[in-house]
Structures are given as C-alpha cells and as structure tokens.
Amino acid sequence: MGEFVRVEADPANPAVAVIRLDRPKMNALNAQVQREIGAAAEQVGADDAVRAVVIYGGEKVFAAGADIKEMADMSYADMSAHSRALQDSFTAVARIPKPVIAAITGYALGGGCELALCADFRVAADDAKLGQPEILLGVIPGAGGTQRLSRLVGPARAKDLIYTGRMVAADEAQRIGLVDELAPAAEVYSTAVAMAARYANGPAIALRAAKQAIDNGLETDLDTGLEIERLHFSGLFATEDQKTGMRSFVEQGPGKATFSGR
C-alpha cells in the first residue's frame, strides 16, 4: 500500500485486483508514484488469489502525464539514471502475468498513455483524450511510448501522434486500435472490471502462457515465436487445468470446465 498507489480487491469480484492511482489532482506520475506502480505490479503478479487486474485513475482522470516540475531541471546524468527506473516501473506492469485492463477516464497523456499501453486492453470513456505530447516539451516519450505505441497502432500512426503531440479523442483512439472499448465515463470502471472478470475463472497458468507467448513472440522472428508457442503449449500438459478442461470437454462439451488455476 503506497501513499498514491494502492491495490484493492473489487468488492463484487475479489479475484480482480484494482491498482488505483490517487495523486490529486491529475495523477501526475512523479518518481514516487512510479516506484509505487512498480511495487503494486509486483504485488498483484505474485498474489495467486488475483486472477485479473484493472488499472484505474479514478472518475475524473487516468493520468495526465509525468511530473514536469520534477523533471524540468534534471541534467542528462540525472535523467540517464531516472529514465531506467521509470521504464522499469512501467515494464513491471507490462509483465504482470495475468490479464490487465486499463480503465481510462479524462486524460491519459504522456506517461499516462504509456502506462495504459502496458495493459493488455484499454477501456476508455467516450470523452477521454489520449496522446503523447512530449514533443511539445522538446523531448520524446521515455517510458515505452515510441515502442509500445508503434507495436499497437503501427509505426505511421505512432509517428503522427508522437511527431505532432496532438491529443486523440476517444472515438479516433478506438478507430486506430489504441483503445479497445468505449463506455460512458460513469461506466468505465464497471466495464473494465466486467472485462477482467471474464478471465478470473479461467485457467490461470494457460492465460499466463498465452500472454507470454504473444508478448515474447512479437519481439522475435516467426520461427522463434513458433518455438516459444510450442514449448508453452507442451508445458501446459503438466497442469491440472489441462486435465480438467479436456476431460470436461469430452464428458460435458465445451465451455463447462471449472478451473483450479493449477
């Protein structure tokens, strides 16, 4: 439990953990918040009772970006050290071995957008704004924006957003694949939790394997990616869930298995 970032279980879905950002007024991501985000990611990743995760900034804003006042007077040497810690805290979110959904209200800009990019899926309010405005400050995204955004929406669209620094309305964000689902602002959290709950009763080890196979496979050539998939696929035959799932399919038909997560 950090000062500005806390982990809570959703009351209606206790297997869904919520990483809640709460640094008034705009959830500016200073060094402390970054550390707390990384710690929260490690916590939910290690907790076997957590089967899916929602990242939420509250009803008004997801995160408006990094704390510019904190960074403005940093030297090259300062930022060379700080940028590693910044990337590591966000990478910890991307590597949570469970389904992760970002619930975006208000603004997800700069570091806020980069944090959302670390999730598997993004649910946004229909009036939300997203973007990477770092170029307007004379810099570029430094917490994964040049890499994760281009992998998600393609290099040309990523270059447009990063070169111009423009904010993207929710409907355009959905159209280009930056956002997966839109909802009224008042329903963003419940929509994200409902999405997370789809996975909460699934085979946890198989879901982890699927995430790792997809994410790791994107970083390599097809033959290596296929080998990553083959090894994960074969390994799942050592799990209790594989036996349960296949036995249930034979005896009851598809979609009726109750998985233990082992």
Side-chain angles (χ1 to χ4, degrees), residues 5-262:
V5 180
R6 60 183 183 269
V7 175
E8 306 169 337
D10 179 75
N13 299 274
V16 176
V18 181
I19 297 177
R20 174 70 160 90
L21 311 181
D22 189 12
R23 186 186 180 216
K25 327 185 236 186
M26 301 294 284
N27 287 333
L29 304 170
N30 68 355
Q32 179 179 344
V33 173
Q34 293 161 23
R35 289 192 299 270
E36 291 180 6
I37 288 170
E42 295 289 344
Q43 177 182 334
V44 299
D47 188 346
D48 290 340
V50 173
R51 305 293 286 273
V53 180
V54 170
I55 305 174
Y56 181 53
E59 296 177 355
K60 295 183 178 180
V61 63
F62 183 71
D67 191 328
I68 304 304
K69 291 181 180 179
E70 180 182 68
M71 296 192 301
D73 294 325
M74 284 187 178
S75 66
Y76 165 77
D78 294 334
M79 184 51 73
S80 181
H82 175 71
S83 60
R84 174 62 63 188
L86 167 62
Q87 284 197 354
D88 286 350
S89 66
F90 281 31
T91 297
V93 175
R95 290 181 178 169
I96 294 172
K98 299 163 187 183
V100 179
I101 296 93
I104 302 168
T105 55
Y107 295 98
L109 302 175
C113 187
E114 289 170 304
L115 178 59
L117 289 170
C118 294
D120 298 303
F121 310 103
R122 283 149 293 281
V123 176
D126 51 19
D127 60 354
K129 305 285 187 183
L130 298 89
Q132 300 287 168
E134 289 89 347
I135 204 77
L136 305 179
L137 302 173
V139 295
I140 66 172
T146 65
Q147 301 305 303
R148 292 191 177 99
L149 182 62
S150 58
R151 284 164 169 76
L152 185 64
V153 304
R157 285 179 172 140
K159 287 175 180 177
D160 169 50
L161 298 184
I162 292 170
Y163 289 4
T164 63
R166 68 185 181 89
M167 289 192 290
V168 179
D171 58 346
E172 181 183 358
Q174 185 182 39
R175 187 167 66 250
I176 67 175
L178 177 53
V179 162
D180 300 288
E181 190 166 340
L182 299 182
E187 299 174 15
V188 165
Y189 174 79
S190 60
T191 301
V193 169
M195 182 182 290
R198 298 175 193 169
Y199 311 109
N201 295 320
I205 300 174
L207 285 167
R208 180 179 66 197
K211 181 169 183 171
Q212 291 175 345
I214 293 167
D215 289 351
N216 293 340
L218 285 171
E219 307 305 319
T220 188
D221 61 273
L222 178 59
D223 285 345
T224 303
L226 288 169
E227 182 65 4
I228 291 170
E229 177 184 273
R230 186 185 71 81
L231 292 172
H232 278 296
F233 173 70
S234 301
L236 290 169
F237 280 74
T239 67
E240 181 180 305
D241 282 345
Q242 176 267 327
K243 307 303 180 192
T244 298
M246 291 194 173
R247 187 181 304 113
S248 175
F249 178 88
V250 171
E251 296 175 356
Q252 300 174 287
K256 297 182 175 64
T258 300
F259 295 109
S260 65
R262 296 189 296 272

